[in-house]
């Protein structure tokens, strides 16, 4: 009897387990059926032959398509995306809203050899926009046919403070040839416009800084190009080539990169400490004295600058007195002697020693014969010194001569002209009410 009961219990347990399995399969089938009904998707994997690469479409509703995939369709045969060296991790393709109207545009940088154009090496940029039919088209394209080695800088950012982005392209032409920074205004009508172009050796950084008026604007720390600097160890000349700039209004008709004097202290304070440490060892290096004095003036340490300039002039004079140098070396010493004296007049003006500055500058100006970039600063300082003694007629005369010399040297409207004429034009604007009286 016990054996019969045992067998009966086993039979019942087996039936219960079987029913549970059947119920589980039924529930699984119901769930799958519901999912298929609700989602309308096939959740089963397709056969291997049905797997294909994704197809891109111009349909605006395909929101999953990324900017790079769209831009790739417009690359010239034989070209590929060009990735800038700087800023770090910057992409070759960027999706932006240029006009702030909620419509996205795509900017793409490219390089390569045009298969359809004798395999010529090209660099370029194009902008894609969507038309009324929601299809992407090339709205604007700018292509360089020069011998370009690499894309040193490629960035989109608002440098003018108007809320609209500019395109910054730094094309490297070659080691000794330097690079060229082109700035495009993207909101110009009917299409983007090249608004500035300047040759440089190195862009140290482009970063946002707060100015005197508490506005936050990009600052350019950039070494301008000078072909003689590639084999030179002249630290004084290198210091002159370092420019701290921002985008601004030169006058009523010109915009461009202009000196950002209000942030000089941020960039030159470390230079002062570095040069003071260095000169403790290399006291007779007059070029380092020039770097130090220039940085001290830019940081508002005018009395310290006068001390440095006096030390430097003594060093230079000691070298001249030895008469052991060839003509080129003597010419170099005399040039630095003039440069130190010009720096000294800047300190004089800031300290209110206007007549001392005028006396020194008149003597310096007599030593030049013809065009010289130093005269831009000599005439500027004379104009500023005459403002200090309320001789606005003389001030206007020399400030205009400074601007005219910059025009002769660099060409009106060029980036270098705007940089070098800006200080004189600013002073001319300041004295205009006094001249009219």
């Amino acid at each position: 009897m016990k054996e019969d009961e045992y067998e009966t219990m086993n039979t019942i347990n087996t039936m219960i387990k079987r029913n549970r399995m059947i119920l589980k399969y039924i529930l699984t089938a119901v769930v799958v059926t519901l999912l298929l009904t609700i989602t309308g998707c096939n959740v089963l994997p397709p056969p291997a032959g049905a797997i294909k690469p994704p197809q891109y479409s111009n349909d605006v509703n395909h929101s999953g398509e990324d900017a790079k995939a769209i831009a790739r369709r417009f690359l010239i045969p034989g070209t590929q995306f060009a990735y800038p060296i700087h800023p770090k991790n910057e992409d070759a393709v960027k999706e932006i809203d240029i006009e702030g109207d909620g419509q996205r545009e795509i900017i793409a940088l490219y390089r390569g050899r045009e298969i359809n154009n004798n395999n010529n090496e090209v660099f370029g940029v194009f902008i894609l926009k969507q038309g009324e039919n929601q299809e992407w088209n090339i709205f604007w394209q700018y292509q360089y046919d020069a011998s370009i080695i690499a894309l040193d800088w490629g960035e989109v950012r608002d440098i003018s403070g108007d809320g609209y982005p500019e395109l910054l392209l730094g094309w490297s032409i070659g080691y000794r040839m330097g690079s060229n920074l082109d700035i495009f205004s993207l909101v110009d009508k009917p299409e983007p416009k090249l608004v500035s172009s300047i040759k440089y050796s190195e862009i140290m950084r482009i970063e946002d800084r707060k100015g005197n008026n508490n506005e936050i604007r990009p600052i350019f720390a950039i070494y301008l190009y000078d072909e003689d600097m590639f084999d030179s160890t002249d630290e004084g000349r290198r210091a002159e080539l370092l420019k701290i700039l921002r985008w601004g209004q030169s006058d009523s008709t010109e915009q461009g990169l202009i000196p950002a004097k209000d942030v000089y202290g941020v960039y030159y304070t470390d230079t002062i400490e570095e040069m003071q440490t260095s000169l403790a060892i290399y006291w007779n290096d007059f070029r380092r004295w020039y770097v130090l004095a220039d940085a001290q003036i830019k940081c508002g340490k005018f009395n310290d600058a006068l001390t440095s300039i006096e030390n430097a002039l003594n060093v230079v004079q000691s070298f001249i007195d030895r008469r052991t140098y060839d003509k080129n070396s003597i010419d170099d010493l005399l040039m630095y002697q003039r440069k130190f004296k010009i720096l000294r007049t800047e300190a004089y003006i800031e300290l209110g020693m206007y007549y001392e500055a005028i006396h020194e500058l008149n003597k310096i100006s007599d030593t030049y014969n013809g065009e010289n970039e130093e005269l831009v600063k000599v005439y500027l300082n004379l104009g500023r010194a005459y403002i200090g003694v309320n001789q606005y007629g003389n001030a206007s005369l020399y400030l205009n001569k400074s601007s005219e010399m910059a025009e002769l040297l660099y060409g009106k409207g060029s980036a270098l002209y705007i940089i070098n004429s800006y200080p004189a034009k600013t002073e001319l604007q300041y004295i205009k009410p006094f001249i009219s009286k």
Side-chain angles (χ1 to χ4, degrees):
M1 185 67 182
K2 289 182 179 180
E3 291 180 0
D4 292 340
E5 290 177 357
Y6 181 75
E7 290 178 2
T8 301
M9 291 297 295
N10 279 342
T11 301
I12 293 170
N13 288 335
T14 300
M15 291 177 65
I16 291 171
K17 289 179 180 179
R18 186 181 299 156
N19 290 336
R20 284 177 177 172
M21 291 296 293
I22 292 170
L23 181 61
K24 181 178 179 181
Y25 290 139
I26 291 172
L27 289 172
T28 300
V30 170
V31 170
V32 170
T33 302
L34 287 172
L35 285 172
L36 291 173
T37 302
I38 294 170
T39 64
C41 298
N42 183 4
V43 296
L44 300 177
I51 300 176
K52 297 180 180 180
Q55 299 298 310
Y56 297 116
S57 168
N58 283 337
D59 192 342
V60 71
N61 292 323
H62 284 250
S63 58
E65 187 177 11
D66 67 11
K68 190 168 289 185
I70 297 170
R72 187 174 284 111
R73 299 201 302 271
F74 294 87
L75 286 174
I76 300 170
T79 64
Q80 59 190 1
F81 292 132
Y83 293 86
I85 300 171
H86 304 104
K88 189 176 180 181
N89 298 325
E90 195 73 13
D91 206 341
V93 178
K94 186 176 288 288
E95 184 177 344
I96 60 171
D97 180 1
I98 293 176
E99 298 180 347
D101 56 2
Q103 297 295 316
R104 62 174 180 160
E105 288 86 23
I106 296 173
I107 294 181
L109 306 170
Y110 65 89
R111 67 171 298 177
R113 294 188 178 275
E114 285 190 277
I115 295 176
N116 300 330
N117 188 20
N118 299 321
N119 284 329
N120 288 335
E121 180 76 19
V122 295
F123 274 78
V125 55
F126 59 76
I127 296 179
L128 301 177
K129 279 191 175 187
Q130 287 180 304
E132 293 180 359
N133 57 1
Q134 302 303 319
E135 290 191 352
W136 290 98
N137 294 290
I138 293 181
F139 159 68
W140 173 76
Q141 187 168 10
Y142 195 94
Q143 187 162 292
Y144 297 82
D145 296 319
S147 299
I148 293 171
I149 304 299
L151 177 57
D152 177 61
W153 199 280
E155 185 179 13
V156 176
R157 70 187 300 167
D158 177 17
I159 65 168
S160 60
D162 62 359
Y164 299 107
E166 281 75 34
L167 173 63
L168 281 58
L169 296 180
W171 302 101
S172 178
I173 306 169
Y175 171 68
R176 298 190 64 87
M177 298 297 292
S179 300
N180 210 77
L181 177 62
D182 290 341
I183 301 176
F184 295 86
S185 170
L186 297 180
V187 294
D188 263 66
K189 301 297 183 184
E191 62 181 21
K193 176 184 176 183
L194 179 65
V195 293
S196 182
S197 184
I198 188 168
K199 290 195 73 172
Y200 68 93
S201 297
E202 181 183 2
I203 297 177
M204 299 293 291
R205 62 180 66 91
I206 301 175
E207 59 186 0
D208 289 339
R209 288 283 180 185
K210 183 180 292 187
N212 278 344
N213 298 324
N214 290 324
E215 82 284 8
I216 297 176
R217 298 269 297 282
I219 296 295
F220 293 66
I222 181 172
Y223 281 101
L224 300 183
Y225 171 77
D226 184 343
E227 61 180 348
D228 296 331
M229 285 305 298
F230 289 94
D231 297 321
S232 174
T233 58
D234 189 339
E235 291 190 55
R237 179 57 177 161
R238 183 169 170 79
E240 287 182 321
L241 293 171
L242 175 60
K243 302 296 180 183
I244 309 300
L245 309 168
R246 70 158 57 90
W247 192 263
Q249 192 83 24
S250 175
D251 59 24
S252 59
T253 60
E254 290 177 335
Q255 283 189 330
L257 293 172
I258 58 175
K261 293 182 66 174
D262 53 323
V263 296
Y264 278 175
V266 175
Y267 295 93
Y268 288 98
T269 300
D270 290 343
T271 301
I272 293 175
E273 184 176 343
E274 179 185 340
M275 287 298 105
Q276 287 174 332
T277 302
S278 176
L279 283 163
I281 303 171
Y282 304 102
W283 179 267
N284 288 330
D285 190 338
F286 55 87
R287 294 179 178 87
R288 299 189 194 205
W289 279 112
Y290 185 86
V291 176
L292 174 60
D294 179 64
Q296 287 170 328
I297 286 176
K298 285 182 166 66
C299 289
K301 299 179 181 295
F302 306 116
N303 284 309
D304 290 345
L306 287 178
T307 301
S308 297
I309 291 167
E310 191 64 31
N311 290 334
L313 285 171
N314 289 334
V315 170
V316 170
Q317 190 60 49
S318 69
F319 282 128
I320 293 174
D321 292 341
R322 292 178 191 178
R323 303 179 183 277
T324 57
Y325 295 92
D326 59 26
K327 183 179 184 304
N328 289 335
S329 297
I330 290 296
D331 287 345
D332 192 48
L333 288 166
L334 292 174
M335 177 188 69
Y336 265 96
Q337 191 176 59
R338 288 196 310 271
K339 287 185 174 184
F340 279 117
K341 290 178 179 179
I342 294 170
L343 272 184
R344 183 162 63 186
T345 65
E346 289 187 44
Y348 282 164
I349 292 167
E350 296 295 341
L351 292 170
M353 302 167 65
Y354 304 118
Y355 288 108
E356 289 86 344
I358 292 169
H359 177 70
E360 182 99 82
L361 288 163
N362 281 324
K363 288 197 300 182
I364 295 172
S365 64
D366 291 338
T367 64
Y368 294 100
N369 183 21
E371 301 171 10
N372 191 299
E373 65 178 20
E374 292 172 17
L375 277 173
V376 176
K377 188 172 287 187
V378 169
Y379 293 146
L380 169 66
N381 288 351
L382 270 168
R384 295 180 63 224
Y386 277 117
I387 290 175
V389 295
N390 299 326
Q391 294 186 26
Y392 300 114
N394 283 331
S396 177
L397 171 67
Y398 284 106
L399 292 172
N400 278 300
K401 290 182 73 170
S402 176
S403 181
E404 290 164 4
M405 182 59 66
E407 182 177 346
L408 285 172
L409 291 168
Y410 310 114
K412 188 173 178 62
S414 70
L416 286 177
Y417 166 75
I418 292 173
I419 291 170
N420 287 279
S421 65
Y422 174 78
K425 288 185 176 182
T426 301
E427 298 289 358
L428 282 168
Q429 193 67 28
Y430 167 74
I431 66 172
K432 186 182 291 185
F434 302 99
I435 294 293
S436 63
K437 291 179 181 179

